[in-house]
């Protein structure tokens, strides 16, 4: 299926949740922006709006008084809003004031050596084979191990955490069975709350040098956070910490595996890696969209959005808009002079983990291209991208094992 | 030329201090701190690069 066929201008509707769109979203985004800048979600009533142009996306992200993050309508198994994701300003800023420093550039910078060591251990694990499922053997364990070290959560329970976040983000139910998905999410939510109750008890009794301990001890206006507040942070951390960098690595390496010249460029000149990280984030925007709920009536391109309506803010579409990025918007261009991409969102809710993610990606791309010779997607492999957050279920790569550094 | 920074607009993407660490630094929250307010011709390119890559358009370079 041509992904642009998932835009239906006559009905002013579209469906970004199809696997074909997730695999190749650019033609979909282009048609959406051009023919249908405010679209309804196909199959839903008129209360769901897809926003796709850069200027509109940016406006939505920067105006929480119109487009709120307090997503009571979006059920991801939670009992209360996730902190800080689903909290609006001004309350939001109070949480960010204590949370941002724990994930700020100076704290995160100390993790670089550890990340590099880990990346090399993972490469050692498959280097001799000349073949790897990059998703299973690098994209998943690399950011997840860093995250578990940061949070002080046990590495031997990673599979449990991964099952939980997958149950919430992409529950394995029949396509479109919303009831079953809701059931899975609620069961998972319950298990997560119960598990993290125990973690909080442990951190109160045995404070450690981990980020959960620091949140348990942090004070807002002279008071520590409540148990519920810490739980609402932990819930979000499992979702944010274990999924998005995996997806970014999948999308980035799949792209580079299919562009040998661009791999070589990074191997020849590692100083280009930070630019490559930004350009891969922009072009592939793994988190295709974020959600908002309308709280103040607002009109966009002749469409009235009413309080209670859900808005799908297409970050991926904004990031490839020719009106912002020019005629090279769909190209991978390391010389790009203006790159105000929104892969980490924007406005007050800018991704809390963006400094961690950027450093993880930089270190991974440096070490992979320093050590691996030319790599390619294994012949006959099909890459299945999951909609919403673009993880690739399996990413088989081949390379010459004798040429590994 | 003068770098003009809007602290209200900054949300801590950190593009400025990643691209031009000689002109910008981060505070503990990861928000921008302008180190060099008046930039000379030699620094102008890097200043412009930081301005061009701020998703919040929180930095301006005035003549």
């Amino acid at each position: 299926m041509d992904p642009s066929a998932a835009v239906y201008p006559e009905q002013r509707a579209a469906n970004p949740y199809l696997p074909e769109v997730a695999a190749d979203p650019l033609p979909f985004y282009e048609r959406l922006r051009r023919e249908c800048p405010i679209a309804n979600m196909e199959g839903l009533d008129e209360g769901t709006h897809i926003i796709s142009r850069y200027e509109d996306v940016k406006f939505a992200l920067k105006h929480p008084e119109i487009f709120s993050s307090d997503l009571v309508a979006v059920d991801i198994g939670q009992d209360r809003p996730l902190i800080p994701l689903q909290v609006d300003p001004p309350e939001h800023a109070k949480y960010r004031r204590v949370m941002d420093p724990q994930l700020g550039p100076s704290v995160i910078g100390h993790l670089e050596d550890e990340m590099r060591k880990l990346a090399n251990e993972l490469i050692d694990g498959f280097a001799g084979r000349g073949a790897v499922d990059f998703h299973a053997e690098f994209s998943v364990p690399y950011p997840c191990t860093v995250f578990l070290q940061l949070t002080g959560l046990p590495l031997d329970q990673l599979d449990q955490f991964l099952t939980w976040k997958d149950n919430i983000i992409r529950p394995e139910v029949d396509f479109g069975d919303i009831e079953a998905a809701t059931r899975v999410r609620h069961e998972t939510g319950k298990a997560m709350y119960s598990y993290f109750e125990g973690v909080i008890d442990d951190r109160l009794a045995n404070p450690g040098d981990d980020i959960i301990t620091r949140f348990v001890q942090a004070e807002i206006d002279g008071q520590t956070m409540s148990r519920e507040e810490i739980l609402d942070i932990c819930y979000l951390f499992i979702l944010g910490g274990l999924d998005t960098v995996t997806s970014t690595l999948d999308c980035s390496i799949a792209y580079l595996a299919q562009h040998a010249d661009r791999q070589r460029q990074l191997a020849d000149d590692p100083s280009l890696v930070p630019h490559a990280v930004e350009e891969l984030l922009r072009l592939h925007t793994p988190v295709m969209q974020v959600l908002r709920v309308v709280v103040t009536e607002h009109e966009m391109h002749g469409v009235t959005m009413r309080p209670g309506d859900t808005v799908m803010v297409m970050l991926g579409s904004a990031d490839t808009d020719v009106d912002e990025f020019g005629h090279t918007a769909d190209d991978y261009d390391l010389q790009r002079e203006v790159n105000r991409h929104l892969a980490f969102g924007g406005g007050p809710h800018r991704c809390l983990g963006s400094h961690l993610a950027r450093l993880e990606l930089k270190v991974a791309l440096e070490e992979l291209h320093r050590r691996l010779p030319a790599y390619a997607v294994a012949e006959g492999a099909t890459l299945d991208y999951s909609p919403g957050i673009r993880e690739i279920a399996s990413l088989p790569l081949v390379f010459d094992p004798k040429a590994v550094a | 030329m003068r770098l003009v920074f809007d602290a209200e607009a900054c949300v801590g993407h950190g593009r400025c201090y990643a691209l031009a660490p000689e002109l910008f630094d981060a505070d503990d929250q990861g928000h921008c701190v302008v180190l060099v307010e008046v930039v000379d011709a030699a620094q102008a390119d890097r200043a412009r690069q930081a301005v061009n890559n701020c998703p919040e358009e929180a930095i301006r370079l005035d003549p």
Side-chain angles (χ1 to χ4, degrees), chain A residues 56-64 290 292 313 315 342 345-348:
Chain A
D56 299 336
V57 164
K58 189 164 160 176
F59 182 87
L61 294 174
K62 291 180 85 152
H63 287 87
V290 292
R292 294 291 186 267
V313 183
L315 303 176
L342 300 168

Side-chain angles (χ1 to χ4, degrees), chain A residues 223-366:
Chain A
Q223 286 206 312
T224 54
M225 286 187 269
S226 70
R227 179 170 283 262
E228 287 192 344
E229 287 174 307
I230 304 291
L231 286 175
D232 300 339
I233 290 172
C234 291
Y235 203 112
L236 171 64
F237 267 44
I238 287 291
L239 303 184
L242 296 178
D243 200 84
T244 42
V245 174
T246 295
S247 305
T248 310
L249 283 166
D250 284 349
C251 290
S252 301
I253 297 301
Y255 176 81
L256 291 168
Q258 295 168 75
H259 293 86
D261 53 330
R262 281 147 207 191
Q263 286 173 37
R264 212 159 36 241
Q265 198 181 18
L266 297 183
D268 291 347
D269 184 359
S271 76
L272 291 172
V273 165
H275 299 287
V277 167
E278 297 308 316
E279 193 59 353
L280 291 163
L281 280 163
R282 183 191 69 80
L283 192 58
H284 298 284
T285 308
V287 179
M288 295 170 69
Q289 75 234 333
V290 292
L291 300 178
R292 294 291 186 267
V293 60
V294 178
V295 286
T296 309
E297 188 169 298
H298 185 74
E299 199 186 298
M300 238 181 206
H301 303 289
V303 176
T304 305
M305 303 177 185
R306 297 198 165 78
D309 288 358
T310 302
V311 176
M312 297 165 65
V313 183
M314 295 303 291
L315 303 176
S317 175
D319 282 348
T320 47
D321 189 339
V322 287
D323 286 343
E324 169 66 20
F325 297 98
H327 66 281
T328 61
D330 283 358
D331 302 340
Y332 170 89
D333 175 8
L334 297 189
Q335 307 304 319
R336 189 175 298 285
E337 281 181 15
V338 182
N339 190 356
R340 296 184 176 120
H341 74 75
L342 300 168
F344 291 111
H349 285 280
R350 184 268 307 163
C351 172
L352 179 60
S354 69
H355 301 288
L356 175 63
R358 280 188 160 114
L359 187 58
E360 286 178 345
L361 294 166
K362 179 182 96 90
V363 169
L365 291 187
E366 282 171 359

Side-chain angles (χ1 to χ4, degrees), chain A residues 205-218:
Chain A
N206 313 295
D209 183 30
D210 63 276
I211 200 167
I212 298 178
T213 296
R214 289 198 283 272
F215 291 149
V216 167
Q217 295 171 339

Side-chain angles (χ1 to χ4, degrees), chain A residues 108-123 134 138 142-143 146 245 249 253 266 270 272-274 276-277 355-372:
Chain A
I108 294 305
H110 294 300
L111 304 176
E112 180 164 348
D113 291 348
E114 202 58 38
M115 288 178 191
R116 209 170 287 281
K117 190 165 146 259
L118 175 62
N120 278 294
E121 284 167 8
L122 293 168
I123 296 169
F134 190 81
F138 195 95
Y142 171 67
V146 174
V245 174
L249 283 166
I253 297 301
L266 297 183
L272 291 172
V273 165
V277 167
H355 301 288
L356 175 63
R358 280 188 160 114
L359 187 58
E360 286 178 345
L361 294 166
K362 179 182 96 90
V363 169
L365 291 187
E366 282 171 359
E367 293 309 308
L368 287 164
H369 294 94
R370 182 175 70 79
R371 297 200 52 200
L372 290 188

